[in-house]
Amino acid sequence: MKLQYKITIVMTLMLIAVIGGIGILTFRQVEKTIEHQMGNNAMDLAVTIASMDVIKETLGTTKDYRIIQDKIESFKHETRFNYIIVMDMDGIKYSYPIEYDLGKKYISGGEERVLKYGESYISADKNVLISAIRAFVPVHYNGKQVGAVLVGLLNNTVYEEIRPYILNFQMTIVIGIIVGIICSAILSYNIKKSIFGLEPKEIALLLGQRDNILQSLKNGIMAVDEKGSIILLNKNAKDVLGFKDSDVGKNISSFNMVYTRQIAEVLENEESIYNEEVRLGPQKILLCSHTIMKNYRNETIGLVSSFQDLSEVKRMAEELTGIKKMTNELRAQSHEFSNKLHTISGLIQLEEYDKAIKYISDLTEQRHEILGTLTYKIKDVHIAGILLSKYNKAVEAKIEMIIDSNSSLTALPEEINVDEVCSILGNLIDNAIDELVKVKSGKLLIKINSNTNALKIMVKDNGPGISEDIRDKIYRRGYTTKSGCRGFGLSIVKKIVDGAGGTIELKSDDGTCWEITIPMRRGN
């Protein structure tokens, strides 16, 4: 049976049971109340008749049936009661609706208590012929009981009087049940519509399928509500982030991670972000998209975050990029050496031997100086290699690049790896060279120092500098003042430094000076 029909049938049965039950209880209560009121009225009339002097005197002296019968008949029709019986102590009737029964003994029963004990009471006379409420009251004359008065009212008489009210009550019950059935049908239809016409089994199947799909995705999925409490985690998200099933329901603020802090910022700003790189550690980088969820009233109800672990992909990409850069740098170095060889060849052909020797000596001295600094001061061969390649690139562009002789690199911070340091240096030096080719006598100074507290990198040039109006924009992904697909270098540098807990300071007084500080341990 369909859910809609089940809801309608169950609601209908409940309404019939509840409304019907209330109706029956109410009717019973009304019936009892009416019978009680009938009894009180009968008792009041019986007491009044028993206190009449003519009734007391006749029963106590003459015992004339006609006097009592006439007296009773004179006012009986003005009351609603069906019969009024006056009897003596032997149960002989002195008044009765049917006159030929006068003088006969009352045989319907119920009078024993009033005649024998002189009690006043109300009793119900219910048998196959009639159903009535009767009131019995003793009659006293000169301090002695001389008889009794019985006042009776048939139940049918009262029910005939209140029949219209009972009919209205019954109609109200029936209408209430019909309205309830109609409302149940409408409610079941709306419920069915709100769940897109799906049956419970279909909903359970869809939920199971959805869970299987989410768990089988290679991308991590996390959903949080508007307060930041985690409501969903798939298997990949648990594996990559190190979460557990018990973490569902916890607030993201309880997790001290760059990823969760970024989610909290997106929730606070109510602006979705897409394809943002988040660095969780030296060897773990995520590509994240955080999408704000809104309801039909455009109110924020939560956030869905999806991410892809780019660690392996990024390492492969950086290797390929490094090979490409190395090829370009070797080509530039080959071109530069070719130019120098042509110069030496020309001097020899002109027989300017002294000048040729001096030129070779100057080149050798410069090469020994840069190689000496890189060899003895920069202990990491990868960083030394990228500095040498950038040096060759700068020389080819007629830019004087100096690596400070006081530089000293012996160790790297815990939160950063050598590839990321190379990325910082490569992007900053490339940006400087791009600007210095526009000026004459371009100079570029590089200084790297590490100690037990921090790694410090300085890249300074005498170029045109960075104007104040774009300083807030230069870290945005894709923002560039150059032509072509550019604008990613400083964004990458910023993410690496922020991920390692470092700082970037930009000075642009006489050219551009970048000063980067990265603590050896987070929190220093």
Side-chain angles (χ1 to χ4, degrees):
M1 185 180 293
K2 292 186 176 181
L3 178 64
Q4 182 177 356
Y5 300 149
K6 287 182 180 179
I7 294 175
T8 303
I9 292 172
V10 171
M11 292 295 292
T12 300
L13 293 176
M14 288 178 59
L15 285 170
I16 292 174
V18 173
I19 297 178
I22 292 174
I24 293 172
L25 290 175
T26 303
F27 181 78
R28 296 298 183 197
Q29 186 62 39
V30 170
E31 187 179 47
K32 289 182 180 180
T33 302
I34 291 173
E35 290 181 356
H36 180 71
Q37 186 63 41
M38 288 166 55
N40 290 338
N41 293 340
M43 178 62 71
D44 292 340
L45 181 59
V47 170
T48 301
I49 294 172
S51 64
M52 291 180 177
D53 292 336
V54 64
I55 301 297
K56 294 190 292 183
E57 186 177 348
T58 301
L59 285 176
T61 57
T62 63
K63 297 184 182 293
D64 189 344
Y65 307 119
R66 180 51 52 187
I67 295 174
I68 296 177
Q69 177 73 359
D70 292 343
K71 182 63 178 178
I72 296 300
E73 290 296 326
S74 67
F75 63 82
K76 190 186 77 168
H77 298 292
E78 298 176 5
T79 70
R80 62 193 297 191
F81 295 96
N82 301 101
Y83 57 91
I84 301 173
I85 300 174
V86 178
M87 65 184 77
D88 60 15
M89 295 301 292
D90 295 324
I92 303 300
K93 295 178 285 189
Y94 283 71
S95 70
Y96 198 73
I98 303 173
E99 288 195 8
Y100 69 80
D101 276 342
L102 293 174
K104 297 180 180 179
K105 187 176 178 62
Y106 180 74
I107 60 174
S108 296
E111 77 282 4
E112 294 82 5
R113 290 169 56 193
V114 69
L115 295 177
K116 187 175 182 180
Y117 303 107
E119 296 180 9
S120 298
Y121 54 91
I122 298 170
S123 70
D125 182 14
K126 295 183 180 180
N127 53 58
V128 294
L129 297 177
I130 63 170
S131 176
I133 297 297
R134 302 177 300 174
F136 294 88
V137 175
V139 179
H140 293 87
Y141 180 71
N142 292 333
K144 180 182 177 182
Q145 182 177 351
V146 293
V149 176
L150 184 158
V151 177
L153 180 63
L154 296 176
N155 291 344
N156 292 339
T157 303
V158 178
Y159 291 149
E160 284 295 328
E161 293 179 6
I162 65 173
R163 185 177 299 279
Y165 303 104
I166 294 176
L167 181 61
N168 290 338
F169 178 74
Q170 292 172 341
M171 288 297 296
T172 302
I173 295 293
V174 172
I175 291 173
I177 292 175
I178 293 173
V179 171
I181 293 173
I182 295 173
C183 292
S184 298
I186 295 173
L187 174 63
S188 63
Y189 173 77
N190 287 333
I191 292 175
K192 188 77 171 178
K193 185 178 178 181
S194 65
I195 59 177
F196 305 102
L198 298 173
E199 294 297 317
K201 291 182 179 179
E202 296 173 325
I203 295 173
L205 179 62
L206 287 176
L207 287 174
Q209 291 175 342
R210 188 205 68 161
D211 189 62
N212 289 335
I213 292 171
L214 285 174
Q215 299 303 329
S216 62
L217 288 175
K218 289 189 176 180
N219 285 8
I221 303 292
M222 175 190 286
V224 299
D225 60 19
E226 70 277 8
K227 297 179 181 179
S229 298
I230 300 173
I231 58 178
L232 185 143
L233 282 170
N234 74 343
K235 183 177 182 300
N236 189 268
K238 297 173 188 175
D239 294 340
V240 173
L241 301 176
F243 286 1
K244 302 176 181 177
D245 291 334
S246 58
D247 292 327
V248 175
K250 293 183 180 179
N251 197 281
I252 55 174
S253 60
S254 60
F255 302 96
N256 186 23
M257 300 171 60
V258 177
Y259 174 73
T260 53
R261 289 196 294 270
Q262 189 179 73
I263 290 178
E265 291 176 3
V266 172
L267 268 179
E268 183 178 355
N269 299 330
E270 296 188 357
E271 291 184 6
S272 302
I273 61 173
Y274 304 97
N275 299 325
E276 285 283 334
E277 288 189 7
V278 175
R279 184 172 175 275
L280 296 184
Q283 304 296 331
K284 192 176 290 294
I285 300 171
L286 306 180
L287 181 65
C288 306
S289 293
H290 309 305
T291 304
I292 292 292
M293 296 188 296
K294 294 182 179 290
N295 59 15
Y296 67 96
R297 290 182 291 189
N298 203 36
E299 298 173 339
T300 298
I301 58 174
L303 174 148
V304 174
S305 175
S306 62
F307 62 83
Q308 181 180 3
D309 190 353
L310 294 184
S311 303
E312 187 63 30
V313 176
K314 194 171 182 67
R315 280 194 293 270
M316 294 173 63
E318 286 176 349
E319 285 185 19
L320 293 175
T321 304
I323 292 172
K324 184 177 179 181
K325 286 184 177 181
M326 187 179 297
T327 302
N328 292 335
E329 301 302 341
L330 288 173
R331 186 180 296 112
Q333 185 174 352
S334 175
H335 185 266
E336 180 63 19
F337 284 164
S338 178
N339 290 336
K340 289 178 171 54
L341 288 174
H342 289 158
T343 301
I344 295 170
S345 176
L347 289 174
I348 292 174
Q349 290 177 13
L350 293 173
E351 297 182 352
E352 294 289 344
Y353 302 118
D354 293 336
K355 291 182 178 180
I357 293 172
K358 186 176 183 305
Y359 181 69
I360 294 172
S361 298
D362 291 340
L363 289 177
T364 302
E365 184 178 351
Q366 292 177 7
R367 181 62 61 174
H368 283 170
E369 182 179 352
I370 187 71
L371 289 176
T373 301
L374 294 177
T375 302
Y376 297 108
K377 300 298 182 67
I378 307 300
K379 297 299 183 181
D380 191 284
V381 294
H382 299 85
I383 298 175
I386 194 170
L387 289 175
L388 181 59
S389 66
K390 297 302 178 184
Y391 174 82
N392 293 327
K393 182 179 179 179
V395 170
E396 184 184 12
K398 309 302 181 186
I399 297 170
E400 183 183 356
M401 176 173 165
I402 302 171
I403 299 177
D404 195 305
S405 59
N406 292 323
S407 296
S408 175
L409 178 63
T410 57
L412 295 179
E414 292 179 351
E415 296 292 327
I416 196 170
N417 57 40
V418 64
D419 293 331
E420 290 170 327
V421 175
C422 290
S423 181
I424 293 173
L425 288 169
N427 282 299
L428 293 180
I429 294 173
D430 283 342
N431 285 345
I433 291 175
D434 288 343
E435 294 300 318
L436 290 176
V437 295
K438 303 174 186 178
V439 300
K440 293 182 179 180
S441 303
K443 291 185 179 181
L444 179 59
L445 175 62
I446 312 297
K447 185 176 182 180
I448 304 175
N449 287 99
S450 66
N451 52 37
T452 56
N453 294 323
L455 166 66
K456 296 184 178 181
I457 299 173
M458 183 187 75
V459 178
K460 182 177 181 181
D461 64 61
N462 63 342
I466 299 175
S467 60
E468 292 286 344
D469 57 338
I470 67 169
R471 286 194 178 188
D472 294 334
K473 306 175 184 178
I474 57 177
Y475 298 115
R476 294 181 187 173
R477 187 179 181 87
Y479 178 81
T480 182
T481 57
K482 307 181 182 96
S483 60
C485 185
R486 305 288 294 273
F488 299 98
L490 290 179
S491 172
I492 292 172
V493 171
K494 177 81 164 116
K495 283 186 176 296
I496 293 173
V497 175
D498 288 347
T503 59
I504 301 177
E505 185 177 358
L506 170 61
K507 299 177 182 178
S508 192
D509 297 333
D510 185 14
T512 302
C513 179
W514 297 94
E515 293 185 0
I516 295 176
T517 303
I518 299 174
M520 286 295 178
R521 295 178 181 82
R522 184 176 289 275
N524 284 358

